[in-house]
Amino acid sequence: MKSIVYIVLYFGKFPSIFPLWLNSCRNNPTIDWLIFTDDHSCFNYPQNVRVEYTTFENIQARFKKHFDYPVVLHKPYKLCDYRICYGAVFQDFIKNYDFWGFCDIDLLWGNIRTFITEGILNKYDKIGFQGHSTLVRNIDFYNRMYTLSVDGKSFKDFASTEKNGFVDEVFFNKLFISRGIPFYDKIVFANFSSLMPNFKITYLLPEEENKNKRFIFVYEDESLYRMSVANGKIYKDEFMYVHFLRRDMEICISANSKKFIIIPNKLIPYTTITRQFIIKASRPHWIKFILLHFIENAYKLNYKTVIPVLITKVKGYSKLFFNNKKKQYE
């Protein structure tokens, strides 16, 4: 079995969903995680999650020492652009693994090996195309792929600015595509739109669109399932993980719960699931959603922030609205 390790760098207090994230890691015992953090809070870390307590300043020094040119790493969020370098920068920690990767912690894992099989690991050198989960074969060529250029751009261009360049997604994917190297890009995850009060999966095959209106998720038997209502029927489909993009989840279960339900925007104890339950639980609550967003972000509101936020939200909602209208007439 190919060995896998995800590398996570996180500075500041872990989010409230972190204990459940850890439990979902525990339920994937054949995969390891390596976390660098300055959060010394007491968590029940499983055996397959190794924690290295450090400071952001120490991580800055490690990266700056690695490059022979000045790099900008002023804030932890900028680390997303440096993810494609993890294989080289942290090689002393991961040298015995077949694959290394990066991932987010605002998600819950299902059964990873159900989707990332030995066949896929043998065939592809890069698995995934999003920052919330990508794996890379642990060989020198891919560990140093960040030294290559594409479309006249190099990693140095992104490392010399404070602006986030989405290097872990756009630039990294282009490096493979431009060289004709195939990577595994099957959609095995559920990425929830942050623009909607209810769940809306942003990456979806056209034939799955009818299941994207009324659905919830269930965690059971160490796996994740979408339970959706379409054409008067209940459908059950397995996913590798769910990603709660900029979505605060109310947690009404214990961290070691073996079976629970994920609804907008709560994790609740398991109960009997019926068609009516799914429809009611997934119904959008716009007023509550808008009020929560206002309360959570009120401290940021001033004339410099309100207008850009409003423009972004209006653009997002308009795009969703017109896309839905277009699909109705196709």
Side-chain angles (χ1 to χ4, degrees):
M1 181 181 288
K2 296 288 189 298
S3 55
I4 296 172
V5 61
Y6 280 101
I7 303 171
V8 176
L9 276 66
Y10 195 91
F11 297 94
K13 289 295 181 182
F14 283 117
S16 58
I17 203 169
F18 185 64
L20 280 159
W21 181 85
L22 285 176
N23 197 48
S24 68
C25 294
R26 177 182 288 106
N27 293 332
N28 285 279
T30 63
I31 295 173
D32 292 341
W33 281 264
L34 172 62
I35 300 177
F36 294 88
T37 185
D38 60 356
D39 188 346
H40 289 258
S41 302
C42 183
F43 293 106
N44 183 20
Y45 286 102
Q47 290 185 348
N48 60 330
V49 178
R50 175 181 174 181
V51 184
E52 291 289 328
Y53 293 109
T54 186
T55 63
F56 180 60
E57 290 72 26
N58 286 340
I59 292 297
Q60 284 176 311
R62 175 178 274 259
F63 276 98
K64 289 179 179 180
K65 183 180 179 181
H66 182 79
F67 297 97
D68 59 4
Y69 51 83
V71 296
V72 176
L73 186 52
H74 62 303
K75 298 285 185 180
Y77 82 85
K78 181 64 177 175
L79 284 166
C80 290
D81 279 349
Y82 288 81
R83 283 172 158 179
I84 68 172
C85 311
Y86 285 3
V89 175
F90 297 103
Q91 185 59 211
D92 51 328
F93 287 91
I94 64 168
K95 60 184 178 181
N96 295 323
Y97 287 94
D98 296 309
F99 281 82
W100 62 270
F102 45 83
C103 67
D104 291 346
I105 60 171
D106 57 343
L107 56 79
L108 290 178
W109 300 105
N111 190 325
I112 297 174
R113 292 279 185 180
T114 295
F115 297 90
I116 303 179
T117 63
E118 285 298 292
I120 290 171
L121 293 169
N122 288 329
K123 183 177 180 180
Y124 297 97
D125 297 320
K126 178 175 176 286
I127 299 159
F129 62 98
Q130 291 284 289
H132 30 87
S133 176
T134 292
L135 295 174
V136 184
R137 192 176 300 279
N138 191 15
I139 60 175
D140 189 62
F141 176 74
Y142 294 116
N143 293 345
R144 297 186 57 78
M145 204 172 194
Y146 66 88
T147 62
L148 305 178
S149 300
V150 62
D151 295 339
K153 283 274 190 180
S154 68
F155 176 75
K156 186 177 180 180
D157 297 319
F158 297 102
S160 62
T161 176
E162 294 183 358
K163 186 178 179 181
N164 189 311
F166 301 99
V167 174
D168 55 339
E169 297 181 348
V170 179
F171 181 70
F172 203 23
N173 291 337
K174 282 185 176 181
L175 286 175
F176 279 79
I177 294 169
S178 64
R179 286 158 179 82
I181 304 174
F183 57 90
Y184 189 71
D185 60 355
K186 185 177 180 181
I187 302 170
V188 297
F189 57 86
N191 183 65
F192 298 144
S193 169
S194 62
L195 296 172
M196 302 294 289
N198 56 324
F199 291 155
K200 202 78 168 178
I201 299 176
T202 56
Y203 294 91
L204 207 63
L205 296 173
E207 58 267 27
E208 291 284 298
E209 190 60 44
N210 65 326
K211 299 178 183 178
N212 202 26
K213 295 179 180 179
R214 294 288 179 264
F215 67 90
I216 59 174
F217 270 80
V218 175
Y219 186 88
E220 62 179 352
D221 300 323
E222 301 176 355
S223 300
L224 273 168
Y225 299 95
R226 178 188 60 191
M227 305 287 291
S228 58
V229 172
N231 305 318
K233 299 179 181 179
I234 295 178
Y235 295 88
K236 186 176 184 179
D237 302 289
E238 188 173 0
F239 283 72
M240 189 173 106
Y241 63 90
V242 291
H243 182 219
F244 306 107
L245 177 65
R246 291 190 293 275
R247 187 180 287 264
D248 293 323
M249 300 295 292
E250 182 181 348
I251 300 170
C252 306
I253 58 173
S254 63
N256 59 354
S257 296
K258 297 184 181 297
K259 192 173 183 178
F260 55 88
I261 298 174
I262 305 170
I263 65 173
N265 294 295
K266 292 182 180 180
L267 287 78
I268 63 174
Y270 187 83
T271 188
T272 302
I273 296 176
T274 63
R275 179 176 171 273
Q276 289 72 27
F277 178 86
I278 296 173
I279 292 172
K280 183 178 179 181
S282 59
R283 187 176 296 140
H285 298 281
W286 281 103
I287 295 176
K288 182 179 179 181
F289 180 72
I290 292 169
L291 285 174
L292 282 173
H293 266 261
F294 179 83
I295 293 169
E296 290 167 1
N297 295 283
Y299 70 96
K300 303 176 187 175
L301 298 179
N302 56 58
Y303 74 95
K304 291 182 179 179
T305 60
V306 169
I307 294 176
V309 168
L310 283 175
I311 291 173
T312 301
K313 293 293 183 183
V314 169
K315 282 183 177 179
Y317 294 137
S318 299
K319 185 177 179 180
L320 283 170
F321 176 78
F322 287 114
N323 282 346
N324 288 336
K325 283 291 183 185
K326 182 179 178 182
K327 287 171 184 174
Q328 289 177 13
Y329 295 104
E330 288 179 347

